[in-house]
Every structure is written in structure tokens, then in C-alpha cells.
Amino acid sequence: MRLFSTPLAVLATLAGCATAFNVNCNSNYASYYGQNSARNQKTLGSYCADATEDVIVLAFMNGFPNIILNFANACETTFEGSSLLHCPNIAADIKLCQSKGKAVVLSMGGAAGSYGFSSDSQASQFADTMWNMFFKGTAAQRPFDDAVLDGIDLDIEGGSASGYTAFISQLRTHYASDPSRQYYIAAAPQCPFPDSYLGSTLNSAWIDMVYVQFYNNYCGLNAYPTWFNFADWDNWAKTQSLNKNVKIYIGAPGGPSAASSGYTDGSTLSTIFNAVRSKYTSLGGIMTWDVSQARSSGLAGSIRAMLDAGGSCSNNGGGTTSSTSTTASSSTTVSSSNPASTSNTVSTPAYSTASSPSTTTVVSTSSSSSAQPSSSSTPASCPVSGATCSGSQQGCNGQSFALCNQGKWYTSSCTPGTYCYMSGGVATCDWSNGRPTNTCAISGTSSFSKRADLTRSPLITAANLRPKPVSAIANIPTRVEFVAGDIVDNKYTTVVKIQANKSAFTGNWLISFKLPAGQTADSTSRGSLGVNGNTITISSDRNAESLQNMAAYFKITGTFNGQYALPDTASAVFIST
């Protein structure tokens, strides 16, 4: 990702000179910087003093096209008479990092913010703005002064999905105007494939690196090997990506508190990484959220060691140079088609959030037609392993999913806490989020049947069926969302997501809301917990919080009777002083 004082394809030859980042290697380490996740974030330059990371991703530009930057305690000064951050210290450190052979890119988006494009025209114009403010162009106000970035990263987790292909195309036009450097485009989708926000962009724009977030979802590192889906992304890289040399990174939480789920220790991560490296040529390395977490936990050192053990580099070109075709319209050697004969059919999840397991899509291994049989050919009953089925049918039987393979049902259990549901003829494993957990269904039938040995689940309000962010009663514009986490027996984890809409909130805050009937709350992973009947209040620990925050994510745990349900978002009250 990025830009150096000499072309990146040339290895440094002078003694003491750092080797430049090489996008074609499978031993690269990228880490995000700027959000102070571990609450002990150091200067950018201090992390660049050694050879641990290869790529630093500055987080975030969480507002665009009306630019908003947020780097927590790393930069809190603005241009005179403006709200735009002016970060001379980061600017100096960018140059230091690049002198050490590291790439520095700016991440656009994030979990909280106000961003997105209304049209391709607006997106293209904003690419011009980006070039002028952060690359080789000129602008009256440049947040990093004369420092020149090595590229951008798209971490799109909200807003409209339109315009990003046009944005990349126009930005690459600017990239090509500077043959002295290599610039890059990276993307950071969540692991459910295809990504809800970036799926179409990944298929239609030239991307150099993809930092897949293998955490906070059913397909995370903690689900290895059952649901861990690097294979889906490798298949995309080889069959759908315009850039057939695109590199896929294993995105990992840098520490136990860096994500709601998905953290693995160095030994476990090394086992997963080595298995992926031995099998998939699209692997580019490892990404962590974030550098403060990874350095504090010691995981960063473990990652560097595993990356350096047996890494290799290909001879394929990457990035953008003046002689490289960079857009779909000008490329004559890359096809954007996805031959049906070489890939399985994967359905699009109904939704995907950053803090909860999204729908697990079961991929059929049958080589037969994907057309579903008519309702008259299949009885409305539970699929049983070994029983007769037809075609490429799929089905559900409570907590098990079923696939028809050569005329016989093959059944397998969903991961603990999830249940099987049919979606458009496809069997999926998902958190119940209040839905019945005892349904039987087979694709091609017109109705669902319940198992007679199980009693009917109680009904809950529609608002609790799926997570949906709502504006909270608050003294600043804020969204609150509740997302189902681990549900085992009668114990639950609910993820609470607080996101500022425009202005940051202080480190002194509290949120209160009502629990569904039959639920108790025992603990919170952030702040302190107060309970008054079915109303709970979480108050921040001011000593552990940043002075300014755009988001706060944490977990509450407890028990429930009957069926698990999400708290009613309409009851949420948020106050920041």
C-alpha cells in the first residue's frame, strides 16, 4: 500500500536502508492505527521504529464527502477557523514510517460515522479531492501537510454502497499520473461472503489488498475450521476479482478486548495461518485491529515471527504504476466474469453487522443443477440423514442443516447457539434473534412443519427479530443497536453498539435500557453495571475512556428464561457530559 522515496519494486541496496513493502508477498503484516483501542496508543513513529508491521492503516476518515477525520489521541488539533484536523506530528511520522520501508494508507469509513456517495459523479469528484489533500495534488488545507500517502483503504460498514467503483477508477487515474511511486487500493470487508456493502465494488474495481475481518461474525477465526471461510475469498480472488493477483489478508483482533469474538492467541493463529498459506496462493498476510491491542497483548511479535517463517513472494505485478492497466474499462487481459463451472453458488446473506454472527450460508457441493424442485416433489417433513431426497435440495431440522447429496440427505449440526433457517431455498445457520428454533423445512415445499415433540415458542415483537439501529433518546445525535452474541443453554451475550452520528461524545457517558421479560444481566465488558428491576444502566469508566469517542462497543452477559430476545432499542437512553 504505499509510497516510498524510491519505487517499491526496487530493493534497497545501501547498507542500513530498509527493504520496501512488497505487495506480492504472503508474509505482510498490516495493522490499524488511530483509534486507541487498547487505551495506551503511542505515537505512530514509535510503532514504526522496528520491523514488526509492514503496512500502517490510519483510522479513520469517518466522514465523507464532507470530510471528518478522527485519530483519537493521536491528533486533536484543527486548522484555524475549521473543524478539519491538522496533524503535523502524524505527517512527520508518516515520512518516518516510509523511510523504514513501510506503507501508510488512510482508511475511509469505519463502524461509526457519516459517509457515502449519492452518485458516481460525486464519488469521482471526491477522488479529485482526496488526491489533492492526501497525495500529490495541492490544496489549501492538507491534514498531513506535504506527506504523501501510499493509498487508501475502504472499510465500509454503513451508508450507501454506491459510487465506490467510480471513486476508485478516478483515483487510479491520478495514481497513474505519478510514475515515480506505487499506490494501492485496499478494502476491509467482513468475512460473510459476499460483503453487504463492498460486494459489488470488489467485483468491479481493481483492488490490491483485501483485509477480511475474520472476527465479530460466524465465520471468524474462533470458528476455524468449521465455518472459517477463507476458501470463499480465495475463490473470489481467482474467479471474480478483476485483479487476479489480489492478496487476501487474515484479519484478526489484536487482543482479547479488540473484538466481540474472534480473538485467538498466537499459537492458534499460527496454526490457522500456516494451514491457509500451505493451501491458498491468494494469501497476502495478516491484518490486526489494532496496533495498540496487538502490541499490548504481544500478538504482534508472534505474528511477525510466523510471517517470517517460510514466507514467499510471487513475481506478479501489483499496485498501480504508469504502465499498469488499473481500471476495468482499460484492462484487456482480465475478465470480470465468474465461470459457473469453476465455482459453487453462494447466496447473499440477508444482513451483516460488525458485531454479530451473520447468516451462515451453506454451500452445496452437488454438481447437479441449482434449480429447486417443485413443491409437489417433496413432502413437508424434517430431513433425516440417509433418507431419500432429490436434486440439490437443502433443508433444516431444528439445530441441524441438511444437504441432498446423490439422492440421500446429509445432515450436520449448526455451531452452538445457532439454528437452521431456510432463506430463498438455501439452508442457513444463524442466531435465532427471537425466531422459532424448532422449525423443519425442505427447499421446494410450500410450508414449514413443526416437530410435534417440541412445544411452540412464545412470540416476541417484530422489532426483536433482527438487529436494527435506531436513534436513541440522547443529548447528542446517537444510534444504538443491540446484536445477539453467544447463546448457549440459558446464557446469553448481547453486544451493545453506540455510534455517534456527527459529533464525538466524551469519555463520561452512560446508557440505560430495558431487558426483555425473563432476562437478567450479570456483567458488562465496559464500564460498570447497575440494575433496577428490568432496567439496566452501564456507566463508563472515565479513567479508561478516550476524551472523545465516535463509538463504544461492549458486551453484556446474563441469563434468560424461555426464548432469547434482543432488548427493545426504543427504550435506550444515552447521555454524555
Side-chain angles (χ1 to χ4, degrees), residues 409-422:
W409 282 117
Y410 167 81
T411 62
S412 183
S413 298
C414 294
T415 53
T418 65
Y419 302 88
C420 185
Y421 300 97
M422 296 299 296

Side-chain angles (χ1 to χ4, degrees), residues 89 139 169 230 273 278 314 356 403 488 518:
N89 292 334
S169 177
F230 193 96
F273 174 77
S278 67
S314 67
S356 71
L403 304 175
V488 180

Side-chain angles (χ1 to χ4, degrees), residues 147-208:
V148 178
L149 293 175
D150 300 306
I152 60 98
D153 163 61
L154 294 175
D155 180 12
I156 308 305
E157 301 183 33
S160 170
S162 64
Y164 291 104
T165 298
F167 168 78
I168 292 172
S169 177
Q170 179 64 10
L171 188 57
R172 285 203 177 278
T173 299
H174 289 296
Y175 283 5
S177 70
D178 180 18
S180 68
R181 301 173 180 267
Q182 281 186 303
Y183 300 95
Y184 299 89
I185 303 289
Q190 297 167 54
C191 60
F193 182 87
D195 184 81
S196 297
Y197 294 103
L198 285 172
S200 62
T201 300
L202 291 173
N203 289 341
S204 58
W206 191 280
I207 309 293
D208 299 296

Side-chain angles (χ1 to χ4, degrees), residues 10-28:
V10 180
L11 296 179
T13 56
L14 299 177
C17 191
T19 300
F21 165 71
N22 184 347
V23 69
N24 298 313
C25 298
N26 62 14
S27 56
N28 287 315

Side-chain angles (χ1 to χ4, degrees), residues 214-233:
F214 286 107
Y215 46 88
N216 291 339
N217 268 300
Y218 73 89
C219 43
L221 292 164
N222 56 313
Y224 178 86
T226 307
W227 297 114
F228 178 71
N229 67 338
F230 193 96
D232 289 340
W233 291 96

Side-chain angles (χ1 to χ4, degrees), residues 537-548:
T537 301
I538 293 94
S539 302
S540 66
D541 179 356
R542 283 176 286 182
N543 295 325
E545 295 284 338
S546 301
L547 294 178
Q548 298 291 314

